[in-house]
Amino acid sequence: MFLKRVLNLQLFAEPNTNVTTANTPGNDLSPTMKEFYDTELLENARAELYFNQFGDEQPLPKGNGDTVEWRGFDTFGKAMKPLTEGVTPDGNKLSMRKIKQSIDQYGDYSTISDRLELEAVDNVILGATEEHGAQAGETLDCITRNEVLTGTHVMYGGGKTSRSQLTAADRITPTLINKAATHLKKMKAPKIDGSYVAIIHPSVSEDLREDESWIDVHKYSATEEIFNGEIGKLHGVRFVESTEQKVYCGTDLAANSRTLTVKGAVSGGSEVAFDGGTVEADALVGRIVLIEDSTYLVTKNTASTLTLADPLKETPAALNLKDNSVIYPGEGGKDGSAVYACIFFGKKAWGVIKPTAESLQMIVKAKGSAGTADPLDQRSTVGWKASHAAKILYQERVLRLEVGSSYSSIDEGN
């Protein structure tokens, strides 16, 4: 009893170990079940692959480094000059382009105590496997998504010319879809099974489904192979819905306020005083802010001032601001509203690396397997790791359409 009062033995436990005080019999983890858990992880991971399913897979065999190379011949122009009888023309020279990309490794795990494993009502190992499977799928797909978002061909809804001008009213329309498809046709982007494809956020798809020309996927699924996440088609474009599609929307600028306010008019210089919220020093460095319809990069901040720069050139800004002008998060649209990326693309627009020796792997360590690191057999671990990378192969085959939505005022960035 004296020892219990003096020492809290839980202080010696691993800080991220999942434990329980429940007292209900359950199932122990057996190493022979690893194959089953591998299957569970892979099934859950595949369910989250929306961007990777369209990537041109490039194998990376074991022992061949960490970089792959995509190669392709440059396209010949039309041979419009007539041949002269009996004269051999100069001919043409072959030229090849190559794109390189290296892989990185990703992963995560959970530690589970022996008591939780033995006493929990639910199968904790299986539950952890399912959660990590979804996490793995979202992680690997998000890596590909972020690469695709770097595409250089961009179109904006509502006739706007920049993201910061977009409002909730600048929604996706059949006209915009036709323009996006026409852009890809003019770029000679090959179609995927006769159609172009677009990946959109659910907040955007709601606006599309109200169009009378919209065709739900169940009306044609019996005759076509359906993509993961496919919801329907409109004007020759098949749409895939994903909550992981990019939403541009900055977080709140202050601990107790989404926006700030210019304190005193500014004419010249790059520093502006503000009030309206509690901000820690340098907490906003690197953020984009929107003031009077112009965007600025925050290079320094105190609890009451911002130092701003041009977001493209990163040179000090020359400010001309009115007193009490609102300072909005500038990563999204007008007044800090959410903006949604809609990716339209053709066949083999981007590639994904498939390492044969470093593909998605489920790792289960049963209690007792750690030797002296776990002397009382108190901990098991469940985790995953994988190597992955993606690269745009044809910029002309990818178009990013940015629009608003009826949810622009409430959705958060991702």
Side-chain angles (χ1 to χ4, degrees):
M1 182 65 72
F2 174 75
L3 179 62
K4 183 176 181 180
R5 286 197 297 265
V6 173
L7 293 177
N8 180 358
L9 297 179
Q10 188 58 36
L11 294 176
F12 295 91
E14 292 289 337
N16 67 340
T17 301
N18 297 277
V19 299
T20 184
T21 56
N23 194 28
T24 305
N27 295 320
D28 192 3
L29 172 65
S30 170
T32 61
M33 296 293 285
K34 184 176 184 299
E35 183 176 347
F36 169 73
Y37 293 119
D38 276 342
T39 303
E40 284 293 320
L41 177 120
L42 292 173
E43 286 181 353
N44 281 278
R46 290 192 191 99
E48 307 297 334
L49 301 179
Y50 299 101
F51 285 87
N52 282 325
Q53 67 181 317
F54 299 106
D56 181 32
E57 290 188 350
Q58 181 70 3
L60 179 59
K62 181 179 180 180
N64 283 266
D66 65 349
T67 303
V68 302
E69 187 175 273
W70 287 271
R71 296 185 299 274
F73 290 104
D74 290 341
T75 303
F76 287 135
K78 296 182 178 68
M80 297 300 294
K81 185 178 180 179
L83 296 176
T84 301
E85 183 178 357
V87 178
T88 302
D90 293 336
N92 214 330
K93 295 181 180 180
L94 289 171
S95 180
M96 177 178 282
R97 69 188 184 98
K98 62 182 180 181
I99 299 175
K100 289 185 176 182
Q101 183 67 11
S102 59
I103 58 173
D104 287 305
Q105 194 174 63
Y106 305 87
D108 195 13
Y109 73 98
S110 296
T111 304
I112 300 166
S113 76
D114 57 341
R115 290 196 61 187
L116 176 59
E117 194 178 315
L118 291 167
E119 299 171 6
V121 175
D122 300 309
N123 188 328
V124 180
I125 301 297
L126 178 58
T129 302
E130 291 175 346
E131 292 302 319
H132 278 301
Q135 178 196 39
E138 290 180 1
T139 299
L140 301 181
D141 216 49
C142 189
I143 293 164
T144 301
R145 180 203 72 174
N146 290 346
E147 167 63 20
V148 175
L149 289 171
T150 66
T152 56
H153 295 268
V154 189
M155 184 185 300
Y156 300 97
K160 303 298 174 58
T161 58
S162 70
R163 184 182 303 158
S164 62
Q165 298 175 346
L166 292 170
T167 70
D170 299 317
R171 303 177 189 178
I172 195 168
T173 64
T175 299
L176 281 174
I177 293 170
N178 279 329
K179 286 185 176 181
T182 300
H183 171 87
L184 292 176
K185 290 175 184 176
K186 292 167 69 175
M187 291 291 172
K188 299 180 180 179
K191 296 181 178 180
I192 302 173
D193 296 333
S195 302
Y196 291 122
V197 179
I199 304 179
I200 60 176
H201 192 274
S203 294
V204 175
S205 64
E206 179 180 295
D207 297 325
L208 280 184
R209 295 181 185 197
E210 296 178 356
D211 189 271
E212 60 183 14
S213 300
W214 175 263
I215 304 175
D216 283 318
V217 66
H218 70 83
K219 295 182 179 179
Y220 61 86
S221 58
T223 58
E224 296 184 31
E225 182 179 354
I226 301 304
F227 303 125
N228 184 29
E230 185 169 354
I231 58 173
K233 60 183 178 180
L234 182 64
H235 301 322
V237 178
R238 297 169 66 177
F239 288 87
V240 171
E241 183 182 75
S242 172
T243 56
E244 298 306 302
Q245 180 55 289
K246 182 64 179 176
V247 180
Y248 298 99
C249 187
T251 56
D252 295 349
L253 294 178
N256 52 351
S257 176
R258 177 156 180 76
T259 62
L260 301 171
T261 305
V262 173
K263 184 178 181 181
V266 182
S267 181
S270 60
E271 186 176 281
V272 55
F274 68 83
D275 55 19
T278 303
V279 181
E280 294 185 4
D282 291 334
L284 300 179
V285 172
R287 291 285 304 273
I288 300 294
V289 294
L290 178 65
I291 314 174
E292 297 180 7
D293 295 331
S294 294
T295 56
Y296 302 96
L297 172 68
V298 180
T299 58
K300 180 181 178 181
N301 80 271
T302 67
S304 59
T305 63
L306 299 175
T307 302
L308 305 177
D310 182 296
L312 297 178
K313 302 177 182 178
E314 297 189 11
T315 54
L319 300 175
N320 185 16
L321 304 173
K322 300 175 182 178
D323 184 28
N324 291 324
S325 293
V326 180
I327 305 173
Y328 294 97
E331 292 85 354
K334 186 176 177 61
D335 299 342
S337 62
V339 170
Y340 306 83
C342 307
I343 302 297
F344 290 74
F345 56 93
K347 189 176 182 179
K348 294 185 177 181
W350 59 84
V352 295
I353 300 176
K354 188 176 182 180
T356 56
E358 300 179 58
S359 57
L360 181 58
Q361 179 184 2
M362 176 70 184
I363 302 170
V364 178
K365 300 290 187 181
K367 60 180 183 289
S369 62
T372 57
D374 184 19
L376 298 181
D377 293 354
Q378 291 178 293
R379 294 181 295 276
S380 303
T381 59
V382 179
W384 65 273
K385 68 177 180 179
S387 293
H388 185 69
K391 190 71 175 178
I392 292 180
L393 303 180
Y394 299 91
Q395 288 282 356
E396 65 272 19
R397 298 184 186 182
V398 182
L399 173 67
R400 185 175 76 252
L401 170 64
E402 297 189 6
V403 297
S405 162
S406 55
Y407 294 92
S408 285
S409 63
I410 59 175
D411 279 347
E412 298 180 350
N414 60 2

